[in-house]
Amino acid sequence: MSIKFANRMENLKASEIRELLKLTEKPEVISFAGGLPAPELFPVDQMKEVAQKVLEEGGTQALQYATTEGFIPLRKLIAKRMNEKFKTNVDESNILIISGSQQGLDFSGKIFLNEGDVVLCESPSYLGALNAFKAYGPKFIEVPTDENGMIMEELEKILETTENVKMIYVIPDFQNPTGRTWPIERRKKFMEIVAKYEVPVIEDNPYGELRFEGEILPSLKSMDEKGLVVFLGTFSKTFCPGLRVGWVAADHNILEKYIMIKQSADLQTSTIAQREIAKFMEIYDLDEHVEKIKKVYKKRRDLMINTIKEEFPQGLKYTYPEGGLFTWVELPSHINARDVLIKCLENNVAFVPGGSFFPNGGKENTFRLNYSNMPEDKIVEGVKRLGKVLREFI
Amino acid sequence: MSIKFANRMENLKASEIRELLKLTEKPEVISFAGGLPAPELFPVDQMKEVAQKVLEEGGTQALQYATTEGFIPLRKLIAKRMNEKFKTNVDESNILIISGSQQGLDFSGKIFLNEGDVVLCESPSYLGALNAFKAYGPKFIEVPTDENGMIMEELEKILETTENVKMIYVIPDFQNPTGRTWPIERRKKFMEIVAKYEVPVIEDNPYGELRFEGEILPSLKSMDEKGLVVFLGTFSKTFCPGLRVGWVAADHNILEKYIMIKQSADLQTSTIAQREIAKFMEIYDLDEHVEKIKKVYKKRRDLMINTIKEEFPQGLKYTYPEGGLFTWVELPSHINARDVLIKCLENNVAFVPGGSFFPNGGKENTFRLNYSNMPEDKIVEGVKRLGKVLREFI
C-alpha cells in the first residue's frame, strides 16, 4: 500500500547534509555548524523571577487561550523597540506575534506564492527560508551579491525582464549565511527599485541588533513608503530561542492576511511565553542584555577571524561580519566543501557546506561558520583543526 | 497599487460571525460561543513550582533551540498515556510535538491535499479544521451523520463513487460542534471501510479524556492495522491551552512528513513549554487533574441540559454529550440562527450559529453551545435569556 501525499511534498526531501550534521551532536565534535546562541548568556535567574511574576499576577490568563494577534503590551513594546532601533514608524496595530520568525517565512510563502511564481533572493540565502518557501512550489531567481550584499543593477535587470515576481526575500543585516550587511545607499536604491516595481519584500531581521561596531542601519521597513515591506523579527537571538516568539510588522492590508493564516495555522503563540517576554522587558533592561551578548560574540568573531588568518591556507576568501553569528568561506572552485566536511568530521570539527544556501545549486566550494555557540578555547582549537584539513585539500 | 496575494487567500475570507462574536467580549455578555476551558481549574500554583524546577534543573537547555521532533521524555509520557487511555500501541518514535492540535490540522492539509482533492468530513465538522484545510483548496464532501456520528453506509457509498479522496477528517469523541460520540461498532466498521479503500484518516481527539460517564472508547488509531490513522492530541483541554502544546501520533512513514513540515513551519515547539508539561506529569498526577475538570464540566453539562429542558420551547432538538465541551441545538428549519444570535446579543447572551460548521453551507437553523467556560449561575441565567429569545422566534 502506498499513501498519496500532496505534490508539494516532492519539493521537500530530507537533506543528506542534515544526516551528516547529526554526527556533530557527539560531545567531542567542535561544531560551527548550527546557528545557536550562546546558552551561557540566557538570563535563567531573571526568567525564574519573571515566570513567578507572570503566574502570580495573572496565572489564569497566562494559561488560557488568547487573541491570535498577540498580547497587546508585548506588541506595544515591540513597536516601540523597532522604532528606536530600526527607525520604523509602526504601532501595535502593525504587529502580529508569531512562533519565531521561521513561522513568518512559512506564512509569507503561503500568503504570496502560487506554484510557479518567482521569488527573488540573495545568492546565497538562508536555507530555512528557502525550505519554507519550497512547500509552495516557487521558482527561485538568485540575485548576484558582492561584499555589500545584493547588487542593485542586477536586481533591476531581473525585475525588468521577469514576469510573476511575487516576493523578494532579503536579510540586509549580517546575512545568514554570509554575515554581510547592505550599506545605507544600497538600501535606499533597493527601496526605490521596489517601489517602482511594487513587489512585496520580506525583510528578515533576526540579527540586526547584534552589531559589534558602528551604528545599527535603518531597516528597509523604515524607507517603505508604499507599504510593501513585511519585517520579520524575533527574540531568538537577542533573548532566548526556546520560548519561540517572533513577530511580523507590516501595513494593515498585508498584516490582516498574516493574522488570518496565523489563526488557521495554530490559533496563537503561547500566551505565557508572550507575557514572560513582556514582563522581562518591563522589569529588566533588554538593551543591557543585548550589550552582554554583543560583547561575547564580538570577542568570538575576533578570535575566529584572527585564528582563520593564522591557520587557513593563504588566499582563501572569507567575510568579516560586523555583527550577527556567521562568517562565510570560499574555497578554490575545484574543492567541494562536502568532501571537506567529511574529512573534518573525522577530525571532530564541523560546519555547514554552502551548496544548499543556493536554491538553484552550485557554489559547492563554500561553507558557513558560526562563532556564537562555541566557547573561546574551542573556537581556536576548532579553527586549527579546520585549517589542518584545508591545507590537505589545497 | 494592489498587492497580488496567492490564489489560496481567496478561500480564506474574514468571517462575519467572527465580527459578530467580537461583541461577546463585553463583560455583561454570557457567552456560550467559545471553546475555552474553565480557567479557574488551571493548576497555577503547581505551574509556579514546575516553572522553577525546569529552570533550576536545566535552565539553559530549556531556553535553547531543541530538536524538531520534541522533548523525548514528553514524547515517552504521551505515548504511554495514549496506550493507556486510547488503547493504541505507540512509542516515542511515533510522536511529534506540535504547537496545539490546530497545527496538526494545518500540517495535515499541507501534507495530503492538492488543489481540488476531496476531503471527507462529518456533517457538521469543526470550523477550525475546515479553515485550516481550505488554505490548500480541497473540495469537501460531508458524510451524513446521526446521533451516533458518521453513518457508515453513507461513507461507503461516497468512497465507492468518488475519485481523489485524499483524507477523511473525523472527531469520534464528543465531536466539535455536536458533542456526539461514535459507538465502538461504528468505529470498527469505519476502520474496515478505511482499510479497504486505503485512505488516510485524521483522528482529531482533543476531548476524548473528558468523559463524564462510562469508559473511554478505543481510538480509531488503536484499530489501525494499515498505518492509515494520524491521531492528533493536545494538552489544551486536559491541562492548559496557553502553553500551546499538542502532538501528532502516526506511523513512521507518515510521521516523517509531519516532521519535515514542522521544521519548515516553525522549527520546533517551545522547549520550555514541553519541559514544563513533562515536569508536571512527573511530579503531579495528570489523571487527578483531569478528574477535577470532568467533575466540574459534568456538573455544567447537567445544568445546561436541565435548564434547556425547562427554558427552551418544546420540540427543539439538542444533543446530550457524554463528555467534552459542547451541545448542539437544532431549530425548526425556517429559523436562521444568525438572526437569533443578533437578538441574543441584544440580550447579552451568545453562541456560535451552526452554518459555518457545514463546509458546503446550509443548516442555518443550528447552533453550538459551550458549557465549560461559564460558572454555574451564568449557565442558568444565560440559558434562560436564550430561551426567552427562542420563544419569540418560535
Side-chain angles (χ1 to χ4, degrees):
Chain A
M1 185 200 51
S2 75
I3 289 170
K4 281 187 205 113
F5 297 105
N7 299 339
R8 69 178 65 83
M9 298 309 289
E10 290 295 308
N11 305 332
L12 299 167
K13 296 283 180 201
S15 114
E16 51 167 316
I17 289 296
R18 218 174 133 68
E19 292 310 305
L20 268 181
L21 291 177
K22 280 191 181 160
L23 300 171
T24 66
E25 283 161 24
K26 291 187 295 180
E28 61 271 27
V29 173
I30 298 177
S31 176
F32 304 128
L36 277 63
E40 64 273 25
L41 300 175
F42 294 155
V44 176
D45 288 331
Q46 292 95 313
M47 277 303 289
K48 277 192 215 167
E49 188 192 341
V50 160
Q52 292 308 293
K53 279 217 155 75
V54 164
L55 287 166
E56 263 157 34
E57 292 170 11
T60 52
Q61 294 99 302
L63 298 171
Q64 183 61 290
Y65 285 115
T67 60
T68 300
E69 289 85 344
F71 186 50
I72 292 174
L74 180 62
R75 292 161 69 203
K76 284 189 178 166
L77 285 163
I78 288 171
K80 186 162 167 280
R81 195 170 178 85
M82 276 190 65
N83 295 344
E84 279 167 22
K85 305 289 175 194
F86 301 118
K87 312 296 176 221
T88 52
N89 180 21
V90 294
D91 65 32
E92 68 271 22
S93 71
N94 298 113
I95 308 290
L96 164 69
I97 305 293
I98 54 177
S99 303
S101 55
Q102 181 71 31
Q103 188 171 52
L105 297 169
D106 178 44
F107 290 176
S108 299
K110 200 166 182 179
I111 287 168
F112 291 110
L113 301 177
N114 290 323
E115 211 180 320
D117 281 347
V118 174
V119 176
L120 305 189
C121 63
E122 294 155 292
S123 179
S125 185
Y126 169 51
L127 181 55
L130 304 176
N131 280 339
F133 302 153
K134 271 181 192 164
Y136 305 98
K139 272 176 54 187
F140 292 97
I141 297 184
E142 299 171 48
V143 185
T145 56
D146 59 21
E147 65 278 15
N148 290 317
M150 190 179 266
I151 301 170
M152 292 306 136
E153 294 68 31
E154 301 282 351
L155 171 66
E156 186 140 31
K157 231 186 288 173
I158 293 167
L159 283 170
E160 254 170 30
T161 55
T162 314
E163 305 236 323
N164 283 327
V165 177
K166 291 298 176 60
M167 184 167 111
I168 308 178
Y169 170 69
V170 292
I171 314 158
D173 295 81
F174 321 125
Q175 198 230 20
N176 184 352
T178 63
R180 289 175 188 141
T181 296
W182 302 10
I184 180 98
E185 297 69 31
R186 213 169 267 205
R187 291 168 192 243
K188 286 183 186 159
K189 184 70 188 162
F190 178 82
M191 288 312 298
E192 267 175 41
I193 297 171
V194 157
K196 180 173 158 198
Y197 289 91
E198 297 189 337
V199 185
V201 173
I202 313 302
E203 177 180 24
D204 192 6
N205 195 333
Y207 319 110
E209 287 197 40
L210 303 180
R211 171 172 275 282
F212 311 145
E213 43 228 2
E215 293 288 307
I216 297 180
L217 294 177
S219 59
L220 301 177
K221 183 74 195 150
S222 72
M223 309 170 186
D224 177 27
E225 285 174 16
K226 285 189 159 177
L228 291 163
V229 177
V230 176
F231 181 103
L232 301 180
T234 179
F235 289 102
S236 293
K237 305 305 185 293
T238 53
F239 190 60
C240 315
L243 293 167
R244 312 303 306 124
V245 178
W247 68 91
V248 181
D251 279 23
H252 298 148
N253 64 326
I254 295 186
L255 197 75
E256 71 183 20
K257 305 293 182 189
Y258 281 83
I259 295 168
M260 225 183 277
I261 288 294
K262 173 72 179 167
Q263 176 155 40
S264 70
D266 65 1
L267 303 180
Q268 57 157 118
T269 290
S270 166
T271 323
I272 187 163
Q274 294 185 59
R275 285 174 177 246
E276 284 177 353
I277 293 180
K279 182 56 74 182
F280 182 93
M281 291 173 82
E282 183 192 318
I283 62 179
Y284 290 102
D285 184 349
L286 183 56
D287 280 345
E288 208 174 275
H289 181 67
V290 171
E291 286 305 318
K292 265 188 229 165
I293 297 174
K294 282 161 58 175
K295 218 171 129 184
V296 171
Y297 289 7
K298 178 184 189 310
K299 196 168 160 198
R300 292 181 181 178
R301 188 252 346 237
D302 289 345
L303 207 52
M304 179 170 271
I305 297 290
N306 290 337
T307 317
I308 284 178
K309 272 186 198 152
E310 289 163 17
E311 301 288 336
F312 277 20
Q314 290 299 308
L316 289 193
K317 280 203 271 183
Y318 50 86
T319 57
Y320 177 83
E322 292 177 350
L325 274 62
F326 305 108
T327 182
W328 176 254
V329 182
E330 211 172 315
L331 302 169
S333 59
H334 65 282
I335 298 176
N336 188 323
R338 287 168 202 243
D339 301 334
V340 179
L341 176 61
I342 290 164
K343 196 77 193 162
C344 276
L345 285 170
E346 287 168 18
N347 289 272
N348 289 328
V349 63
F351 55 77
V352 182
S356 33
F357 295 94
F358 298 88
N360 302 320
K363 290 270 192 183
E364 296 292 347
N365 60 320
T366 55
F367 61 89
R368 187 190 76 177
L369 292 175
N370 165 274
Y371 49 77
S372 61
N373 189 241
M374 283 284 140
E376 283 74 16
D377 56 332
K378 291 206 168 173
I379 290 182
V380 174
E381 174 58 25
V383 174
K384 280 184 181 172
R385 291 182 193 170
L386 199 48
K388 187 171 153 277
V389 172
L390 286 173
R391 285 193 304 271
E392 290 170 26
F393 272 85
I394 292 173
Chain B
M1 187 202 49
S2 76
I3 289 170
K4 280 187 207 114
F5 297 105
N7 298 340
R8 70 178 64 82
M9 299 309 291
E10 290 295 308
N11 306 331
L12 299 167
K13 296 282 180 201
S15 115
E16 52 168 313
I17 289 296
R18 217 174 135 66
E19 293 308 306
L20 267 181
L21 290 178
K22 281 192 181 158
L23 300 171
T24 65
E25 283 160 24
K26 292 187 294 180
E28 63 269 29
V29 174
I30 297 176
S31 176
F32 303 127
L36 277 62
E40 64 273 25
L41 300 174
F42 294 153
V44 176
D45 288 330
Q46 292 96 311
M47 278 302 289
K48 276 192 218 168
E49 189 192 340
V50 160
Q52 292 308 293
K53 280 217 155 72
V54 164
L55 287 167
E56 263 158 33
E57 293 170 10
T60 53
Q61 295 98 304
L63 297 171
Q64 183 61 292
Y65 285 114
T67 61
T68 300
E69 290 84 344
F71 186 51
I72 292 174
L74 180 62
R75 291 160 69 203
K76 284 189 179 168
L77 286 163
I78 288 170
K80 186 163 168 277
R81 195 170 179 87
M82 275 190 66
N83 294 344
E84 280 168 22
K85 305 289 175 195
F86 300 119
K87 311 298 175 221
T88 51
N89 180 21
V90 294
D91 66 32
E92 68 271 22
S93 71
N94 299 113
I95 309 291
L96 164 69
I97 305 293
I98 53 176
S99 303
S101 54
Q102 180 73 30
Q103 188 171 51
L105 298 169
D106 178 44
F107 290 176
S108 300
K110 200 166 181 179
I111 288 168
F112 291 109
L113 301 178
N114 291 323
E115 211 180 320
D117 280 348
V118 174
V119 176
L120 305 189
C121 65
E122 293 155 291
S123 179
S125 185
Y126 168 51
L127 180 56
L130 304 176
N131 280 339
F133 302 153
K134 270 181 192 165
Y136 305 98
K139 272 177 54 188
F140 292 97
I141 296 184
E142 299 172 47
V143 185
T145 57
D146 60 20
E147 65 278 15
N148 290 317
M150 191 179 267
I151 300 170
M152 293 306 136
E153 294 69 31
E154 301 281 352
L155 171 66
E156 187 142 30
K157 230 185 286 173
I158 293 167
L159 283 170
E160 254 170 29
T161 55
T162 314
E163 305 237 325
N164 283 328
V165 177
K166 290 298 176 60
M167 186 167 110
I168 309 178
Y169 170 69
V170 292
I171 314 157
D173 295 82
F174 321 125
Q175 198 230 20
N176 183 354
T178 63
R180 289 173 187 143
T181 296
W182 301 11
I184 180 96
E185 297 69 30
R186 212 168 267 206
R187 290 167 194 244
K188 286 182 185 160
K189 184 71 189 163
F190 177 82
M191 288 312 298
E192 267 174 41
I193 297 171
V194 158
K196 180 173 159 197
Y197 290 91
E198 297 189 337
V199 185
V201 173
I202 312 302
E203 178 179 23
D204 192 7
N205 195 333
Y207 319 111
E209 288 198 39
L210 303 180
R211 171 171 274 284
F212 311 145
E213 43 229 1
E215 294 287 308
I216 297 181
L217 294 177
S219 59
L220 301 177
K221 183 74 194 148
S222 73
M223 308 170 187
D224 177 28
E225 285 173 17
K226 287 190 157 177
L228 292 163
V229 177
V230 176
F231 180 103
L232 301 180
T234 179
F235 290 103
S236 294
K237 305 306 185 294
T238 53
F239 190 60
C240 315
L243 294 168
R244 310 305 304 125
V245 177
W247 67 90
V248 181
D251 280 23
H252 298 148
N253 64 327
I254 296 185
L255 197 75
E256 70 184 22
K257 306 292 183 189
Y258 280 83
I259 295 168
M260 225 183 280
I261 288 294
K262 173 73 178 167
Q263 175 154 41
S264 69
D266 65 2
L267 303 180
Q268 58 156 118
T269 289
S270 165
T271 324
I272 188 163
Q274 294 184 61
R275 283 174 178 245
E276 284 176 353
I277 293 180
K279 182 58 74 183
F280 182 94
M281 290 173 82
E282 182 192 319
I283 61 180
Y284 290 102
D285 185 350
L286 183 56
D287 279 346
E288 207 175 276
H289 181 65
V290 170
E291 285 306 316
K292 264 188 228 166
I293 297 174
K294 282 160 58 174
K295 216 170 130 184
V296 170
Y297 289 7
K298 178 185 188 309
K299 196 167 159 199
R300 291 181 181 178
R301 188 261 335 245
D302 289 344
L303 207 53
M304 180 170 271
I305 297 291
N306 290 338
T307 317
I308 284 177
K309 271 186 199 152
E310 288 163 18
E311 300 288 337
F312 276 19
Q314 288 299 308
L316 290 193
K317 279 203 272 186
Y318 50 87
T319 57
Y320 178 83
E322 292 177 349
L325 275 62
F326 304 109
T327 182
W328 176 253
V329 181
E330 211 172 318
L331 302 171
S333 59
H334 65 282
I335 297 176
N336 189 323
R338 287 168 201 244
D339 301 334
V340 179
L341 176 61
I342 290 163
K343 196 77 194 162
C344 276
L345 286 171
E346 288 167 18
N347 290 272
N348 289 328
V349 62
F351 54 77
V352 182
S356 32
F357 295 93
F358 298 88
N360 302 319
K363 289 269 192 184
E364 297 291 348
N365 60 320
T366 54
F367 61 89
R368 187 190 76 177
L369 292 176
N370 166 274
Y371 49 78
S372 61
N373 189 241
M374 282 285 140
E376 284 73 16
D377 56 333
K378 291 204 169 174
I379 290 183
V380 174
E381 174 59 24
V383 174
K384 279 186 183 169
R385 291 183 194 169
L386 200 48
K388 187 170 153 278
V389 173
L390 287 173
R391 285 193 302 272
E392 288 171 27
F393 273 85
I394 293 174

